[in-house]
Amino acid sequence: MKKIVIFDMDGTLIDSKKDITISINYVRKVNHNLEPLSEEFVVKAINTQERNLAKLFYNTDTYEIKDRVLFEKHYKEQCIENPYLYEGVLELLETLKADGVNLSVATNAPTLFAKTMLEHLEVASLFDVIIGADEVKESKPNPEMLLRILQHYNYDATKDEAWMVGDNSKDMLSAKNAGIKAIFAAWGFSAHGEHSLVVKEPKEILCLIATC
């Protein structure tokens, strides 16, 4: 029997809100002459399931190409300035890996940024697959990313176990849509989860999946 754990990245494995906010505010200033947003506003906007981020961040009806290009150019350098692993995450990953659990990442961030940050934090090698929204037709809550990861492991629902660990409703819905279990991580961007299984510290996951 295989055990597979798929992690969201931002707000689950790493705290990246400072750099995301800096890059968004850079685009706001350069392209739109707008005042900066707070980290709290940016995180809340990102984690809201139904929202228009272009309107919230840049006051445009759609995400304009000039904004996307400038953000990605800026964030490519900015993304490794301030991110850090949440307390207990490294120990969680190393223990799961030692117990033979298969680990992967499914993030709505572009794959390049995800790999860059996880490599910078020296944990990329712990994951078999790191996949971002740019590699699929639809991002979470669509299950496409998760299904691709499960296919990588030749997942068999009749004998294998799989979990999605994330910090917002999109992660929980993607797990439901993929037919796997979900764990809401309440230590990151979202302190309060409405999912049936909520954990407040990474070590709690060990009791659910591997060894306490």
Side-chain angles (χ1 to χ4, degrees):
M1 180 187 75
K2 293 187 290 286
K3 290 185 177 181
I4 302 161
V5 183
I6 304 170
F7 288 94
D8 172 53
M9 185 180 71
D10 299 297
T12 301
L13 294 173
I14 68 174
D15 189 326
S16 53
K17 63 178 179 289
K18 185 176 182 68
D19 294 315
I20 292 173
T21 303
I22 288 172
S23 289
I24 288 171
N25 284 333
Y26 180 79
V27 176
R28 283 173 63 84
K29 180 180 180 180
V30 172
N31 284 356
H32 302 282
N33 195 30
L34 294 170
E35 293 296 315
L37 299 171
S38 68
E39 292 179 7
E40 291 72 21
F41 179 90
V42 169
V43 167
K44 183 177 180 181
I46 290 173
N47 277 356
T48 300
Q49 188 174 336
E50 299 294 336
R51 75 282 195 267
N52 183 341
L53 291 183
K55 190 70 173 179
L56 292 171
F57 292 162
Y58 309 124
N59 199 28
T60 60
D61 291 329
T62 60
Y63 196 4
E64 297 180 357
I65 293 176
K66 67 174 184 177
D67 293 335
R68 185 187 302 275
V69 169
L70 185 59
F71 175 85
E72 292 184 353
K73 180 179 179 181
H74 189 270
Y75 194 59
K76 182 179 180 182
E77 304 298 327
Q78 182 67 46
C79 71
I80 59 171
E81 290 298 314
N82 302 287
Y84 60 89
L85 294 170
Y86 287 107
E87 184 177 354
V89 164
L90 178 59
E91 293 79 4
L92 168 65
L93 297 176
E94 290 179 337
T95 302
L96 291 175
K97 195 73 174 180
D99 282 351
V101 179
N102 300 286
L103 307 178
S104 285
V105 172
T107 173
N108 279 354
T111 307
L112 174 62
F113 296 152
K115 290 183 175 179
T116 298
M117 287 187 278
L118 294 172
E119 287 170 359
H120 172 73
L121 294 169
E122 300 182 342
V123 294
S125 62
L126 296 173
F127 302 105
D128 303 310
V129 180
I130 299 171
I131 185 171
D134 56 303
E135 294 192 17
V136 293
K137 292 181 179 179
E138 294 188 58
S139 58
K140 296 176 292 184
N142 186 284
E144 185 178 355
M145 267 188 276
L146 277 61
L147 294 175
R148 279 186 55 177
I149 290 172
L150 295 174
Q151 185 178 29
H152 169 82
Y153 294 116
N154 294 315
Y155 170 73
D156 183 343
T158 65
K159 61 182 181 180
D160 299 326
E161 289 187 282
W163 295 262
M164 173 73 207
V165 179
D167 70 304
N168 62 55
S169 60
K170 295 188 291 293
D171 297 318
M172 302 300 99
L173 284 172
S174 67
K176 180 180 179 181
N177 293 334
I180 65 174
K181 302 172 186 176
I183 301 172
F184 191 99
W187 59 74
F189 286 174
S190 303
H192 304 286
E194 298 180 355
H195 188 61
S196 57
L197 186 53
V198 179
V199 295
K200 295 183 178 180
E201 296 181 348
K203 64 182 180 182
E204 294 179 48
I205 293 177
L206 296 177
C207 296
L208 300 171
I209 296 172
T211 57
C212 296

